[in-house]
Amino acid sequence: KTLLINKLGGAIQQLPYFTTCSADLKLGTNSFLAKKEIYITDLENNNIIDTIKISGDYTWLMNVKWSPKDMNVLLCITKKDDISSIWTISINNKKKTLLYETSNITRLFWSPNGDACYYLLDNSGRSDLIKLNIETQTGKLLGNPITLIKKLHTENKLTP
């Protein structure tokens, strides 16, 4: 399929791809950096059924991941000063929750049961594996970040 955009500045109606999908495989998400929006797509017909505005002054939106259990999306926003923010967004009510801010975040992903997320934090050319515990109903951070592994060799592969 092709990207359908209304003429004369209309909104995007369809996207030919998605970045992540819901646990039931019925909905997908995609983002459009220039418009600062995340689109919720019905994967059966590829139509956009909802749009979530992402406000703020950021230069990159990455790692948009759907929770394996709930209607929450996890994402990372990088600002002009290279500070990254990890957020959850409830698909049901569009509530955005800031979990944590730091620099040099890569490979953000959910735990298999959706109650935590993990990311790699650059540490002098190696990476620390960090865990954030998340309250699944609200998407809020529980406690402080936990460093699980320090200075992981970059050749080690982590796959969610």
Side-chain angles (χ1 to χ4, degrees):
K1 292 192 173 191
T2 59
L3 178 67
L4 297 178
I5 302 175
N6 288 337
K7 292 182 179 180
L8 304 173
I12 296 173
Q13 296 174 352
Q14 287 187 341
L15 292 168
Y17 54 90
F18 61 95
T19 56
T20 185
C21 62
S22 60
D24 62 7
L25 305 177
K26 293 181 179 180
L27 300 175
T29 62
N30 203 320
S31 56
F32 191 34
L33 184 62
K35 288 191 146 246
K36 297 187 176 191
E37 295 175 337
I38 293 177
Y39 304 107
I40 309 302
T41 304
D42 179 332
L43 295 179
E44 186 174 317
N45 59 24
N46 232 19
N47 287 330
I48 294 171
I49 59 172
D50 205 354
T51 302
I52 300 171
K53 283 295 248 183
I54 308 297
S55 60
D57 186 24
Y58 62 89
T59 57
W60 195 247
L61 171 65
M62 62 181 180
N63 294 313
V64 178
K65 309 280 184 183
W66 205 296
S67 169
K69 298 285 183 184
D70 301 302
M71 294 296 282
N72 291 321
V73 171
L74 181 70
L75 59 101
C76 185
I77 295 170
T78 303
K79 299 177 186 176
K80 291 179 182 177
D81 57 5
D82 286 333
I83 298 296
S84 297
S85 303
I86 300 172
W87 294 79
T88 56
I89 299 174
S90 170
I91 299 302
N92 293 331
N93 64 15
K94 297 184 184 181
K95 182 174 180 180
K96 302 167 196 86
T97 303
L98 174 63
L99 296 179
Y100 198 67
E101 287 188 314
T102 189
S103 59
N104 301 319
I105 291 176
T106 61
R107 295 191 186 160
L108 179 67
F109 56 94
W110 284 102
S111 67
N113 61 3
D115 66 349
C117 71
Y118 301 87
Y119 64 91
L120 294 178
L121 179 66
D122 182 56
N123 184 348
S124 303
R126 294 197 178 174
S127 297
D128 294 345
L129 177 62
I130 311 295
K131 177 181 181 181
L132 300 176
N133 288 307
I134 300 171
E135 204 291 313
T136 57
Q137 297 301 313
T138 63
K140 291 184 178 180
L141 180 66
L142 296 173
N144 295 316
I146 302 165
T147 302
L148 300 176
I149 301 173
K150 282 190 159 282
K151 296 201 173 189
L152 182 71
H153 292 281
T154 55
E155 62 268 9
N156 292 339
K157 300 290 183 193
L158 291 174
T159 54

